[in-house]
Amino acid sequence: MSAFIYAATRTPFGRFNGALAGVRPDDLAAAAITSTLARVPGLDHFAIDDVVWGNANGAGEENRNVGRMAALLAGLPVSVPGTTVNRLCGSSLDAAMTASRTIESGDAEVVLTGGVESMTRAPWVLPKSAKPFPAGDVTAVSTTLGWRLVNPRMPKEWTVSLGEANEQLRERFGISRERQDGFAARSHQLAHQAWESGFYDDLVVPVEGTGLTRDESIRAGSTPEVLATLKPVFRTPEQGGTITAGNASPLNDGASAVLLGSERAATTIGADPIARIAGRGVMALEPQAFGYAPVEAANRALARAGIRWDQVGAVELNEAFAVQSLACLDAWKVDPAIVNQKGGAIAIGHPLGASGGRVLATLAKVLRETKQRYGVAAICIGVGQGLAVVLENCDVTESAR
């Protein structure tokens, strides 16, 4: 038995402290659920076997199993269960992978998946004192991004900042600042073109009351020359720093949702499937090497799908940093033209828990538009992990195969 994608939408991705800053993450998640289920009006919501939702933070308004909370806020029957998974940046892709396995095992027919993150609303946290009435000051820790409340037993080389980890990756593979800026400019240009052409019109649904209709971080005028003027953030120029605010993904708010089902669930859902989950892969490396982990994750997913890289017609790789994206593409030896054809996270944004659902849904639509049979969705994950999924386009006819 196989698992299939039947419908997918997402909210626009808002900038940090931008248009979505006033919206709670559980409300963002509910909005994505509502808009996705609106694509399949024939589905009786009582037929949804489970909700599997991704979230990376879990420290604020989403802390009490946001998958279940969002399902209730979206008006799903109270009998529809929900769970939340956390694989950091890969959480919503992990949610879809988990749901696909559940469907393939026969334990479910219809599973709603997705993910959410409000990086703007991520709280500061205070660790509890080991003893009552401490006399000294206590420091509030931001939960927006990266390591926090680090266990002192962790080796220091593992707990470097995400940016420093990618500067190390740049040194390892000799990836120049010029290549990074060129890749980043392409992301903005392609994302802008995709919006202008209407590609995202049926994938992205505005959040009521925000006025935001498009991804808020896209800068249509980005060029390599403009990006070259930005200063490195994590190392000084004298230290060889190359990573800037322009060639790394920004902080964002948003949600995505993907409806999965078995082949026979088409009657229940009232729609034809869009794409089949053909293979899955997961990989882990040293925590500081997280940007390179999608390489083997994708290779494993392809092996499980029984295909080769030369059969892949489209790739959606979440652009956490330009340097790690380029390292992955170089390792795969794929044609850069088939990668992130509608822009990537550097332009669109990277609300951690929502990004996996975004790349999966975008890939499914790109495959249909380009009439390619196979595609790969992949994402790097903090603390040294990577995930990948192979999709097979259901629109490809038997004769074309």
Side-chain angles (χ1 to χ4, degrees), residues 303-315:
R304 287 163 184 157
I307 64 169
R308 306 175 307 275
W309 272 111
D310 61 9
Q311 295 173 271
V312 173
V315 176

Side-chain angles (χ1 to χ4, degrees), residues 36-364:
T36 297
L37 293 180
R39 297 290 191 269
V40 285
L43 173 63
D44 182 347
H45 295 176
F46 283 94
I48 299 172
D49 293 302
D50 204 357
V51 174
V52 184
W53 208 256
N55 177 251
N57 197 325
E61 294 158 331
E62 73 283 76
N63 75 88
R64 293 287 291 173
N65 185 2
V66 69
R68 171 64 171 167
M69 298 302 153
L72 294 172
L73 289 167
L76 294 187
V78 296
S79 59
V80 176
T83 189
T84 301
V85 299
N86 184 349
R87 206 189 287 257
L88 300 180
C89 305
S91 295
S92 53
L93 192 59
D94 203 18
M97 293 167 71
T98 298
S100 67
R101 295 184 190 102
T102 304
I103 291 166
E104 290 170 9
S105 73
D107 284 349
E109 293 290 331
V110 180
V111 182
L112 180 63
T113 76
V116 66
E117 211 73 50
S118 176
M119 300 180 80
T120 298
R121 298 174 73 91
W124 295 285
V125 298
L126 285 174
K128 285 187 175 180
S129 172
K131 60 180 72 174
F133 310 117
D137 295 334
V138 179
T139 301
V141 178
S142 173
T143 66
T144 299
L145 180 69
W147 292 88
R148 78 290 299 254
L149 304 177
V150 180
N151 191 315
R153 294 176 55 231
M154 284 282 186
K156 296 298 184 185
E157 64 270 21
W158 287 0
T159 62
V160 297
S161 71
L162 302 180
E164 170 57 26
N166 277 272
E167 288 286 12
Q168 293 177 17
L169 200 66
R170 183 265 308 167
E171 288 180 319
R172 175 180 170 187
F173 292 105
I175 296 172
S176 69
R177 165 78 184 266
E178 290 72 25
R179 283 190 72 194
Q180 294 176 58
D181 288 344
F183 184 86
R186 173 185 183 268
S187 183
H188 284 281
Q189 292 161 8
L190 291 180
H192 175 69
Q193 291 168 15
W195 271 109
E196 290 297 301
S197 71
F199 176 85
Y200 286 116
D201 288 353
D202 63 348
L203 277 181
V204 180
V205 179
V207 179
E208 186 176 351
T210 66
L212 185 64
T213 59
R214 290 191 177 189
D215 300 310
E216 201 173 8
S217 297
I218 298 171
R219 298 185 297 274
S222 288
T223 64
E225 293 74 23
V226 170
L227 294 176
T229 65
L230 300 178
K231 294 181 178 180
V233 176
F234 303 99
R235 293 185 184 181
T236 66
E238 293 74 23
Q239 294 170 324
T242 63
I243 297 174
T244 71
N247 58 35
S249 60
L251 306 178
N252 296 94
D253 309 327
S256 63
V258 181
L259 182 69
L260 299 181
S262 66
E263 186 171 16
R264 64 190 177 201
T267 302
T268 302
I269 294 170
D272 293 327
I274 298 169
R276 181 177 73 90
I277 306 292
R280 297 172 295 259
V282 59
M283 180 61 182
L285 301 170
E286 299 86 351
Q288 70 273 27
F290 73 93
Y292 199 63
V295 171
E296 185 57 25
N299 291 340
R300 292 180 179 187
L302 288 171
R304 287 163 184 157
I307 64 169
R308 306 175 307 275
W309 272 111
D310 61 9
Q311 295 173 271
V312 173
V315 176
E316 284 292 323
L317 172 64
N318 191 61
E319 300 167 354
F321 293 83
V323 65
Q324 62 83 205
S325 299
L326 289 165
C328 291
L329 302 190
D330 291 349
W332 291 328
K333 296 180 172 59
V334 295
D335 181 356
I338 71 169
V339 179
N340 297 353
Q341 299 172 56
K342 307 301 178 180
I346 288 173
I348 292 167
H350 180 22
L352 308 179
S355 290
R358 179 192 71 79
V359 296
L360 195 63
T362 302
L363 177 64

